[in-house]
Amino acid sequence: MIKENLGKRELNRINNRKAIITAARDCFSEKGYDQVTVRDIIRRTGLASGTFYNYFQDKQSIFSALLSDYIDRLSKHLLELRKTSDTLETFIHSTYLAVFTAISEDPVVYQLAHSNNRVIRDLFGESIIGTNIATLEEDIEQAIQRGVIPEIDSTYLSAAFFGVAYEIGLRVANTSIPEPEIAANFATGLFMGGIKEISRETFISSATSTDTSTQ
């Protein structure tokens, strides 16, 4: 009997938290983060205000929970996809696919994050994608050392990668039927061509400098 009661309490706790998260997600989507109040969220749940404060301190803590769930999913996708990358193309493609897959699973949260970038930076110190690809530059440098990526500026490359992921991610989020694989293929093709061109220009520049210095 005690175990049964404990089970019911735990189930009730899970359902209450889910109701609050869902209500907050809907409110943020409809009004935007700045315009939503805790009272709006409580009213949407139908729960007592005291129940709300058993789970969250304020609307910022709810927003943080929404984003943390998204970031956890993105981290999982990144881990699963990128650990098998052994070529330049699979490295780039797997990272893009992880980002766009996470967005397609919850486009509303990404749209919210995109339109509330200031709040995201206050909470996490980075943008919604930046929190998970902050290590990308380090990964790129390791890939360069392994010969997977040509020797080019890893700082510029990671910044460009971030910019493409951030903006195409919004396109994925705004599409009625998200297609993360197509988006990843497009971004990968764009990068593959760009990296090859940059590598060629770097080689030409280096060769020119060498010829000049020997004259």
Side-chain angles (χ1 to χ4, degrees):
M1 185 66 178
I2 294 176
K3 290 181 66 175
E4 182 181 350
N5 289 335
L6 286 173
K8 287 181 179 179
R9 284 199 295 271
E10 179 63 16
L11 182 60
N12 189 55
R13 186 190 69 80
I14 292 172
N15 288 338
N16 285 345
R17 188 180 187 280
K18 182 179 179 180
I20 295 169
I21 288 286
T22 300
R25 187 176 179 274
D26 292 342
C27 287
F28 291 144
S29 179
E30 292 170 8
K31 296 184 177 183
Y33 177 81
D34 289 333
Q35 301 304 316
V36 172
T37 65
V38 169
R39 183 175 297 178
D40 292 330
I41 298 170
I42 293 173
R43 188 180 301 118
R44 182 69 66 96
T45 65
L47 299 171
S49 59
T51 301
F52 172 88
Y53 288 108
N54 285 334
Y55 299 90
F56 298 100
Q57 295 180 343
D58 48 32
K59 74 171 184 178
Q60 187 181 67
S61 63
I62 306 175
F63 197 47
S64 179
L66 273 171
L67 297 172
S68 294
D69 288 345
Y70 169 85
I71 290 170
D72 287 344
R73 287 196 303 275
L74 176 53
S75 296
K76 181 179 179 182
H77 288 308
L78 283 169
L79 179 62
E80 292 175 350
L81 291 169
R82 282 169 58 185
K83 66 184 180 182
T84 58
S85 300
D86 56 0
T87 67
L88 170 60
E89 186 169 2
T90 58
F91 178 87
I92 297 297
H93 182 269
S94 62
T95 304
Y96 274 126
L97 184 58
V99 171
F100 298 147
T101 297
I103 291 172
S104 69
E105 290 175 349
D106 199 343
V108 171
V109 170
Y110 186 76
Q111 290 167 342
L112 286 170
H114 200 280
S115 60
N116 293 277
N117 197 44
R118 174 186 58 79
V119 180
I120 305 300
R121 291 185 181 278
D122 288 343
L123 289 172
F124 298 103
E126 288 281 356
S127 69
I128 188 68
I129 292 180
T131 55
N132 268 274
I133 63 173
T135 60
L136 180 62
E137 186 175 341
E138 180 180 340
D139 292 339
I140 288 174
E141 290 175 351
Q142 291 177 357
I144 290 174
Q145 293 174 5
R146 299 199 314 269
V148 174
I149 295 178
E151 290 190 14
I152 56 180
D153 193 304
S154 59
T155 302
Y156 284 151
L157 183 59
S158 59
F161 192 102
F162 171 83
V164 171
Y166 193 67
E167 294 302 329
I168 292 184
L170 183 60
R171 176 78 176 184
V172 171
N174 289 331
T175 303
S176 57
I177 303 178
E179 297 177 312
E181 183 71 43
I182 292 177
N185 290 342
F186 176 86
T188 302
L190 184 68
F191 250 77
M192 289 298 293
I195 288 175
K196 290 176 182 177
E197 184 64 23
I198 291 171
S199 299
R200 188 178 72 82
E201 291 296 330
T202 300
F203 173 77
I204 293 174
S205 178
S206 297
T208 302
S209 298
T210 300
D211 291 341
T212 302
S213 64
T214 57
Q215 290 178 357

